Amino acid sequence: MVSAFCGSVASAGGVPTAVLEEVVVLGRLDQLHGAPLSASQGVVGPGQLDMRPVLRAGELLEVVPGLIVTQHSGDGKANQYFLRGFNLDHGTDLATSVDGVPINMPTHGHGQGYTDINFVIPELVQSIQYSKGPYYAEAGNFSAAGAVDIEYRRTLEAPLVILEAGEDSYARGLMAAAPQLGGGALLMALDYAHIDGPWLLEENYRKRNGLLRYSRETERGLFGVTVQGYEGDWRSTDQIPLRAVQAGLVDRFGTVDPTDGGSSHRYSLSAEWSGSLGPGRSSLLLYAVDYDLDLVSNFSYFTDPENGDQFQQIDQRRIYGSSWSWSTSTDWLGRQQELSTGVQLRHDDIKKVGLHRTIARQRFQTIREDAVQQTSYAVYGSVATSWNDRVRTTLGLRADRFEFDVNAGLTANAGRKSDSIISPKFTLVLGPWGNTEFFFNAGKGFHSNDARGTTINVDPTDGLTPVGQVDALVDAMGFDIGMRTALASNAQITVSLWTLKLDSELVFIGDAGTTEASRASKRRGIEASVIWSPVSWLILDADLAWSRAALGGFDPAGDRIPGAVENVASLGLAIDHPSGWFGGARFRRFGEAALIEDNSVRSKPTTIVNIEAGYRFSNRYKISTAVYNVFGSDDNDITYFYESQLPGESQPVADVHFHPVEPRTMRVTLTASF
């Protein structure tokens, strides 16, 4: 990945805006830039993003080395994420934001930290910044594994229209422009897409996106206002049992329950300002989000032979938040220092979060339906000191407080809870020597648990069985040792060895409405990234990651963490030739994972190759063709092991359940600029 840095300023969204310098002049890859805090930070700019074949919007995040993005249901549902030995489910432990506005949803109807980025318009993304590990004072909840911020463009060189068409009834249209207005730029975009997918049950996913963004820069600073809207509805083909496919009962691209599906919307308004304040620089972000999800799923089918196992999860909320940061440079005893501080506030007004049993999407039983008020406050600061030309340190400290007020449908599970956490951070950087730097990082992070789990007393399914409560906040302690070098001609290499410990894998199980406690855990791994530009119009990159995740203590059930992928490999190239030809190719492989604690059942590796090639006829027109899963891999996007019961079976059966990768598919894109 492109990972040349230039500075270190706080970002409202939790990713240090170290704002990593985009490598535009590729010949400068033989130099180190800026002052990163770790070897696990980076940025990917438009040069690589524009040439990267992407089947779904969520796959944009795979520019983060070692991160895997998959899907086990309909495309309108949030993706499944894997990073640093975590099965992150739909986003827990990976803090994600767009222009500083957080995406993760705490106390969510489907999963803690739920991260749906279907509202992102890929062509408008300027850069993606990432920081892995709990070493950055700006990053708080859900950032134990890392933090990612997607930055939108503020303007366009010219208005554009994009038309796409492909197999499986895929069609998409995008119109965008950025006229000058009142001394600034008004970025406008409308995006519509429809796809049925390769599934026997046509997905009929309809996605509607809109964006208005006004930005103006004056002597007093940069001011901007952004309005975004997303709506989506779909039918789902969820994971299916292996035994049903092997017996010929269900096609590999078939479904057990054809009435699964969902709908969602996300409307947001944000305002930002950045500029000089006293002797330093300051930034302010205010945001509000209106969000809704209605999701119907059936993962175990007919363990209730009479009614089936389908359930509906709902989440209706409004989010209000703000963040402020300030930084300044000083001299202390002749040594240069960078002082940074900030405050972050967030309130989730969760009108309704519920779990209901359904038959063909019609409710017949409510398991639980609650309203929750969740508020978090944070203050942080850091001091970066350059002791000499080859030694610099950063000390950081963060304090977070969470307050939960659960108005449960079952009075016994209602209540109020609060908790606080202090998170120290430390960075040591040595070098450069011969264009090589070395890093040591230590830091504490955390994730919050579902507010409902902190006040629960009885199982909501029967209202009687006692259930233990979970801690509101779960500590994570991490260490990194890393290196980055530009010794090779026109290339940069980064290597990182890391470990991360969690006090407990306590989580709230949204699919069941109860909590489940697990043991402490430890993860460790190695990551390596290489980017090389042998000529000005060609970029080659490779990312390799290995990890091992284990539960602590002794338990006869075993110590493996189900779903923790053990190795990831990604190879890619991006071409932008002066003759007008352009394109890209990606090889992606994620390896095996234990599916059960005793490691007796394991998933198989998944390998995918995507390619794209196109030609620019002038500065106004270009056409490209993308082929996804070029070699027709029949691997799986995701694999689970649990009990389910099919019609005709007398009892639940423990089995592998999987969601296949999509077969080879082709899409054609026509772009016109005016």
Side-chain angles (χ1 to χ4, degrees), residues 364-381:
F364 70 91
Q365 181 185 0
T366 294
I367 302 299
R368 70 178 300 169
E369 185 169 286
D370 313 308
V372 180
Q373 300 291 311
Q374 177 166 333
T375 306
S376 61
Y377 318 86
V379 59
Y380 65 86

Side-chain angles (χ1 to χ4, degrees), residues 157-278:
E157 293 182 1
L160 63 87
V161 174
I162 296 177
L163 299 176
E164 295 182 345
E167 298 175 86
D168 304 318
S169 301
Y170 176 77
R172 176 174 178 250
L174 169 66
M175 297 185 296
Q180 295 297 303
L181 180 67
L186 178 63
L187 177 62
M188 306 178 293
L190 289 174
D191 181 19
Y192 176 83
H194 172 272
I195 187 170
D196 285 332
W199 323 109
L200 297 186
L201 174 70
E202 293 181 350
E203 188 173 12
N204 194 27
Y205 177 36
R206 294 172 294 177
K207 180 168 72 169
R208 302 166 291 277
N209 276 324
L211 179 141
L212 283 173
R213 186 178 207 193
Y214 181 75
S215 302
R216 183 183 180 189
E217 190 164 7
T218 68
E219 295 179 355
R220 303 180 63 180
L222 173 67
F223 171 77
V225 177
T226 303
V227 179
Q228 295 184 76
Y230 159 74
E231 295 177 350
D233 51 84
W234 64 94
R235 298 190 296 185
S236 297
T237 294
D238 292 332
Q239 64 260 24
I240 54 177
L242 180 61
R243 65 186 185 279
V245 177
Q246 292 177 332
L249 300 175
V250 178
D251 186 87
R252 178 174 172 81
F253 297 97
T255 185
V256 176
D257 191 334
T259 63
D260 292 349
S263 63
S264 183
H265 78 239
R266 184 184 189 276
Y267 311 125
S268 66
L269 170 66
S270 63
E272 59 178 322
W273 170 85
S274 61
S276 298
L277 182 63

Side-chain angles (χ1 to χ4, degrees), residues 337-380:
Q337 287 190 323
E338 181 82 13
L339 307 179
S340 300
T341 188
V343 177
Q344 297 168 351
L345 305 174
R346 173 170 173 169
H347 176 73
D348 285 68
D349 178 11
I350 306 173
K351 306 291 187 180
K352 188 181 296 184
V353 55
L355 176 64
H356 309 271
R357 294 191 65 191
T358 55
I359 299 175
R361 299 201 188 194
Q362 300 301 309
R363 293 184 192 175
F364 70 91
Q365 181 185 0
T366 294
I367 302 299
R368 70 178 300 169
E369 185 169 286
D370 313 308
V372 180
Q373 300 291 311
Q374 177 166 333
T375 306
S376 61
Y377 318 86
V379 59
Y380 65 86

